[in-house]
């Protein structure tokens, strides 16, 4: 199995290097409703996921499904416009396959974004939350199975999954641009159902500020491979309310679109500072 994954990754990386010769320094993953950030990139090459050997294909509305290479804030970047989720039927290993690809292409820093449900009662729709830490007991760990020592240790340390220096820099950028940001804990679930009221209360008790269906598996593998990670959630709905609000995917996308310009400022200036 390990030999198969290595062979697949080598084939994928070789294909992408044939499409784009430069070495990206930064990888960006754009979550639900956040694909328009890709318009900020000076695009030099776009590769549809369907053309990339062994790459999964995004099946969710709000995920465009292409790998974008180009320049942003003076840096060479590779961006995923659309990510993969466990709830789409992919294995944990398939979900994180693109993160391994980006590392092997040469990135050193990974920026992640997602749309998430608010659990902290002080949060409002449209808030930007910098992820300080996460809880991952509810999603399969992508490192289960034979460890490949060349990629990272059998038992990777997770005391600082999100780089404190990047968090501090992003908070300073937000302050300088009068952007209000929160900082908190992201709890990952498999989805695709939104949470019940009892589940929201449980997440709150466990210490989660927001809940979502992505990001954590990607962060685990990025840390395993030695990447510096920075991640942000856009609060797209408030699930902890006691009224009978119904959450729809359309609402989530709409809220993410509205908050995207502020996220773009933070990402662009953070990349410029690297």
């Amino acid at each position: 199995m390990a030999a198969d994954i290595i062979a697949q990754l080598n084939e994928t990386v070789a294909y992408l290097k044939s499409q784009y010769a430069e070495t990206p320094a930064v990888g960006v993953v754009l979550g639900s409703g956040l694909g328009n950030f890709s318009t900020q990139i000076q695009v030099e090459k776009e590769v549809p996921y369907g053309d990339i050997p062994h790459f999964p294909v995004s099946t969710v509305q709000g995920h465009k499904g292409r790998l974008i290479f180009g320049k942003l804030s003076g840096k060479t970047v590779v961006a995923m416009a659309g990510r993969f989720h466990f709830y789409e039927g992919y294995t944990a290993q398939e979900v994180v396959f693109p993160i391994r690809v980006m590392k092997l292409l040469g990135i050193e820093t990974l920026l992640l974004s997602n749309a998430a449900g608010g659990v902290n009662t002080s949060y409002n729709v449209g808030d930007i939350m910098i992820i300080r830490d996460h809880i991952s007991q509810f999603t399969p760990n992508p490192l289960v199975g034979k460890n490949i020592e060349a990629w990272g240790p059998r038992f990777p340390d997770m005391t600082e999954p999100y780089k404190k220096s990047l968090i501090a820099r992003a908070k300073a950028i937000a302050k300088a641009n009068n952007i209000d940001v929160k900082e908190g804990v992201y709890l990952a679930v498999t989805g695709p159902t939104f949470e019940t009221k009892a589940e929201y209360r449980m997440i709150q008790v466990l210490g989660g500020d927001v809940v979502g269906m992505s990001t954590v598996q990607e962060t685990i593998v990025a840390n395993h491979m030695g990447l510096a990670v920075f991640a942000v959630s856009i609060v797209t709905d408030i699930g902890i309310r006691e009224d009978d609000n119904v959450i729809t995917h359309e609402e989530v996308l709409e809220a993410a679109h509205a908050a995207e310009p502020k996220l773009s400022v933070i990402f662009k200036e953070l990349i410029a500072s690297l």
Side-chain angles (χ1 to χ4, degrees), residues 248-267:
T248 68
H249 189 56
E250 289 69 30
E251 281 182 312
V252 167
L253 296 179
E254 187 180 328
H257 283 312
E260 192 169 39
K262 293 185 286 187
L263 176 71
S264 293
V265 170
I266 294 169
F267 270 21

Side-chain angles (χ1 to χ4, degrees), residues 90-148:
Y90 293 117
T91 65
Q93 286 73 22
E94 288 171 324
V95 167
V96 301
F97 187 84
I99 306 301
R100 296 205 185 281
V101 167
M102 289 195 286
K103 164 67 177 181
L104 296 173
L105 285 172
I107 72 163
E108 297 175 350
T109 305
L110 179 67
L111 307 188
L112 302 169
S113 64
N114 63 58
V119 180
N120 187 316
T121 54
S122 71
Y123 289 3
N124 295 300
V125 170
D127 280 350
I128 293 176
M129 189 197 85
I130 294 170
I131 301 177
R132 177 182 68 246
D133 207 344
H134 70 232
I135 297 170
S136 68
Q137 293 174 322
F138 302 98
T139 52
N141 193 306
L143 301 183
V144 169
K146 181 176 171 58
N147 186 57
I148 299 169

Side-chain angles (χ1 to χ4, degrees), residues 61 160 173 180 184 206 234 241 246 264:
Q61 181 191 356
E160 193 183 331
I173 289 165
D180 179 49
L206 289 175
I234 304 292
R241 294 189 318 216
V246 175
S264 293

Side-chain angles (χ1 to χ4, degrees), residues 3-271:
D4 291 345
I5 287 274
I6 292 170
Q8 289 176 2
L9 279 164
N10 288 340
E11 190 178 340
T12 303
V13 170
Y15 171 78
L16 290 170
K17 285 184 174 178
S18 77
Q19 298 296 303
Y20 186 75
E22 290 192 50
T23 300
V26 183
V28 182
V29 179
L30 303 172
S32 294
L34 297 168
N36 286 341
F37 176 75
S38 61
T39 61
Q40 306 289 325
I41 299 169
Q42 183 187 328
V43 177
E44 294 174 335
K45 182 69 180 180
E46 286 192 24
V47 187
Y49 291 164
D51 293 352
I52 304 173
H54 310 297
F55 227 67
V57 177
S58 197
T59 67
V60 185
Q61 181 191 356
H63 289 259
K64 293 181 179 177
R66 61 184 190 269
L67 206 58
I68 299 166
F69 294 89
K71 300 291 190 297
L72 183 64
S73 301
K75 305 292 191 301
T76 303
V77 303
V78 54
M80 289 179 67
R83 60 147 55 88
F84 310 110
H85 307 80
F86 185 72
Y87 66 72
E88 294 176 78
Y90 293 117
T91 65
Q93 286 73 22
E94 288 171 324
V95 167
V96 301
F97 187 84
I99 306 301
R100 296 205 185 281
V101 167
M102 289 195 286
K103 164 67 177 181
L104 296 173
L105 285 172
I107 72 163
E108 297 175 350
T109 305
L110 179 67
L111 307 188
L112 302 169
S113 64
N114 63 58
V119 180
N120 187 316
T121 54
S122 71
Y123 289 3
N124 295 300
V125 170
D127 280 350
I128 293 176
M129 189 197 85
I130 294 170
I131 301 177
R132 177 182 68 246
D133 207 344
H134 70 232
I135 297 170
S136 68
Q137 293 174 322
F138 302 98
T139 52
N141 193 306
L143 301 183
V144 169
K146 181 176 171 58
N147 186 57
I148 299 169
E149 289 294 330
W151 292 348
R154 169 78 280 188
F155 302 106
D157 178 68
M158 292 294 285
T159 53
E160 193 183 331
Y162 304 93
K163 204 75 177 167
K164 289 178 183 174
S165 57
L166 295 178
I167 291 172
R169 218 175 288 178
K171 287 165 73 174
I173 289 165
K175 185 175 181 181
N177 287 278
N178 295 312
I179 297 170
D180 179 49
V181 291
K182 313 296 186 194
E183 184 181 343
V185 175
Y186 178 93
L187 185 142
V189 293
T190 63
T193 50
F194 293 115
E195 292 68 42
T196 67
K197 291 185 183 302
E199 287 167 341
Y200 274 117
R201 289 194 295 272
M202 175 195 70
I203 292 163
Q204 189 179 40
V205 168
L206 289 175
D209 294 293
V210 298
V211 58
M213 306 170 191
S214 67
T215 302
V216 161
Q217 291 169 322
E218 298 157 341
T219 297
I220 289 170
V221 160
N223 275 267
H224 181 241
M225 296 187 84
L227 293 173
V229 180
F230 174 78
V232 167
S233 291
I234 304 292
V235 178
T236 51
D237 57 87
I238 306 296
I240 198 68
R241 294 189 318 216
E242 283 304 321
D243 59 7
D244 290 324
N245 61 305
V246 175
I247 300 165
T248 68
H249 189 56
E250 289 69 30
E251 281 182 312
V252 167
L253 296 179
E254 187 180 328
H257 283 312
E260 192 169 39
K262 293 185 286 187
L263 176 71
S264 293
V265 170
I266 294 169
F267 270 21
K268 284 191 325 192
E269 295 198 19
L270 187 58
I271 290 170

